[in-house]
Amino acid sequence: MKKAIFLLLALTLALFFTSATAFADTTSAKTVDGNNDRWEQESTRADTLATMTWDPSADTLHFIGNGYADRQGMKFGFRSNIAFSNTEAGAIIKFPKSFPALRNESNNMHFVVAYVNTWKAWWNSSDNITKSAAFIIRPVSNDTVTVELAGRWAQNSGYGDLSSVKVAEYSLGETRTLEFSLKKDSEGIVTAYVNGAEHGRLDLVLSDGKTMSDYISAFNDGKGYLQFGATLENDAEGLPLEFTLTGLIGATDAFKKPATKPDDTAGEVISQENARAYVKNAGDFNWNYVTLYGASGVLGVSALVFFLLSIRGKAKG
């Protein structure tokens, strides 16, 4: 009887861990959070034309910008206060059916997917605090983009190369989708991947003697933040730039969808009034706590059952 009870409890515990972990992984691996309170727009001007639209049925975020009146050529920049692990972080981006312009010698058009040590600073900020690694994505034809790794580590201006792999070319294919991710190995070296294939290792020694892998390993609490943007330098035509975020990888907390009525969610746009709002993890539901406290509860119940069985056995004896 005792063996049967022990086996039942062991199976219950194993099934709990498996189901809770699996749910947490699927929830945090490829989910998009459209909650306006978790996003901030780079421009502080009220007349900005950049927008972020969440499609709840497709679970996607669409970014588009026509440029800022105060920053010629800058299209948009958005960042989220969702934290991502410094062992693996990434995003899945779907580009439009056609690009309104291509990168050329006089027009450095590019998109950015950046991983930053703090959500409170933009990835290309000129300060001694910001450390960042970014995918610089440049359309060179309607179906082809080049990818360069760049970032900041407290230089005086601009941003620099982070890897010995300067530029590589990728085809968008029929889906026009690319996955950009950073993964850290057991030796602490961070490698950049595009569509799951190795793009370049962040092992280039920088001007201060460190590598970006060193910086990422030292990110506070082992986490960083993702930022997205696009620019068309020397923009004289006001061409809009856009892309769609279809998935996020490596979030340290599960996402909570906006508490809005079903009829009000489609086409929801982040406005300038709430673009700078920041609610620190408000109402987040973290499945790690379910795993932790649930497992503790199962173990506690198991201990109580065995204790009662032992008392009953002694009473019979």
Side-chain angles (χ1 to χ4, degrees):
M1 180 64 179
K2 289 183 180 180
K3 289 183 178 180
I5 294 176
F6 177 79
L7 180 59
L8 178 61
L9 290 172
L11 287 172
T12 302
L13 186 60
L15 287 172
F16 179 85
F17 271 119
T18 302
S19 58
T21 304
F23 189 93
D25 286 345
T26 27
T27 303
S28 63
K30 305 226 173 168
T31 306
V32 172
D33 191 321
N35 190 335
N36 284 346
D37 291 337
R38 306 198 84 174
W39 290 87
E40 182 177 74
Q41 190 173 160
E42 184 172 10
S43 175
T44 59
R45 299 265 315 214
D47 57 353
T48 177
L49 298 178
T51 58
M52 180 191 83
T53 305
W54 180 54
D55 183 345
S57 60
D59 199 16
T60 60
L61 284 173
H62 181 253
F63 300 95
I64 187 170
N66 287 287
Y68 300 148
D70 58 337
R71 299 181 64 186
Q72 183 179 11
M74 187 65 194
K75 294 302 183 178
F76 62 79
F78 283 93
R79 63 187 179 190
S80 172
N81 61 43
I82 300 169
F84 288 79
S85 168
N86 70 352
T87 59
E88 181 176 10
I92 304 171
I93 304 295
K94 183 176 183 178
F95 294 95
K97 293 181 179 179
S98 62
F99 295 109
L102 301 175
R103 195 269 180 183
N104 55 52
E105 293 182 358
S106 61
N107 196 350
N108 186 20
M109 174 186 175
H110 60 270
F111 302 92
V112 175
V113 176
Y115 184 59
V116 192
N117 62 329
T118 172
W119 102 274
K120 296 182 180 180
W122 292 99
W123 76 274
N124 53 356
S125 298
S126 299
D127 55 42
N128 292 320
I129 300 173
T130 306
K131 308 294 187 298
S132 63
F135 294 89
I136 309 296
I137 307 141
R138 298 182 175 95
V140 293
S141 76
N142 193 50
D143 301 314
T144 308
V145 299
T146 62
V147 176
E148 177 187 6
L149 294 175
R152 288 198 57 80
W153 59 96
Q155 314 97 300
N156 292 327
S157 62
Y159 51 79
D161 295 328
L162 301 177
S163 171
S164 57
V165 178
K166 302 297 183 183
V167 176
E169 195 171 276
Y170 296 92
S171 174
L172 294 180
E174 294 184 1
T175 64
R176 302 193 68 78
T177 300
L178 292 176
E179 179 181 305
F180 303 93
S181 61
L182 299 169
K183 298 180 183 180
K184 184 168 62 175
D185 62 24
S186 58
E187 298 178 353
I189 301 297
V190 177
T191 300
Y193 292 86
V194 178
N195 276 356
E198 181 176 324
H199 173 81
R201 289 161 59 87
L202 304 186
D203 55 0
L204 185 68
V205 178
L206 308 176
S207 57
D208 59 0
K210 295 182 179 180
T211 68
M212 185 50 64
S213 291
D214 295 330
Y215 283 124
I216 291 178
S217 294
F219 277 10
N220 294 336
D221 300 324
K223 63 186 180 183
Y225 301 85
L226 289 176
Q227 299 179 2
F228 307 91
T231 187
L232 183 60
E233 296 178 8
N234 304 318
D235 180 13
E237 300 180 18
L239 297 175
L241 299 185
E242 62 180 313
F243 67 78
T244 303
L245 178 61
T246 64
L248 295 170
I249 303 165
T252 58
D253 61 3
F255 300 125
K256 178 185 178 184
K257 291 187 177 180
T260 52
K261 297 178 182 178
D263 295 340
D264 298 335
T265 53
E268 185 176 354
V269 174
I270 183 170
S271 64
Q272 187 61 36
E273 287 70 25
N274 63 18
R276 302 191 62 80
Y278 172 46
V279 180
K280 187 176 182 181
N281 297 330
D284 296 340
F285 191 74
N286 194 330
W287 277 92
N288 292 329
Y289 290 113
V290 175
T291 305
L292 175 63
Y293 297 129
S296 299
V298 172
L299 290 173
V301 172
S302 302
L304 178 61
V305 170
F306 281 116
F307 176 72
L308 294 175
L309 287 173
S310 65
I311 292 178
R312 183 180 178 185
K314 290 180 180 179
K316 287 184 176 181

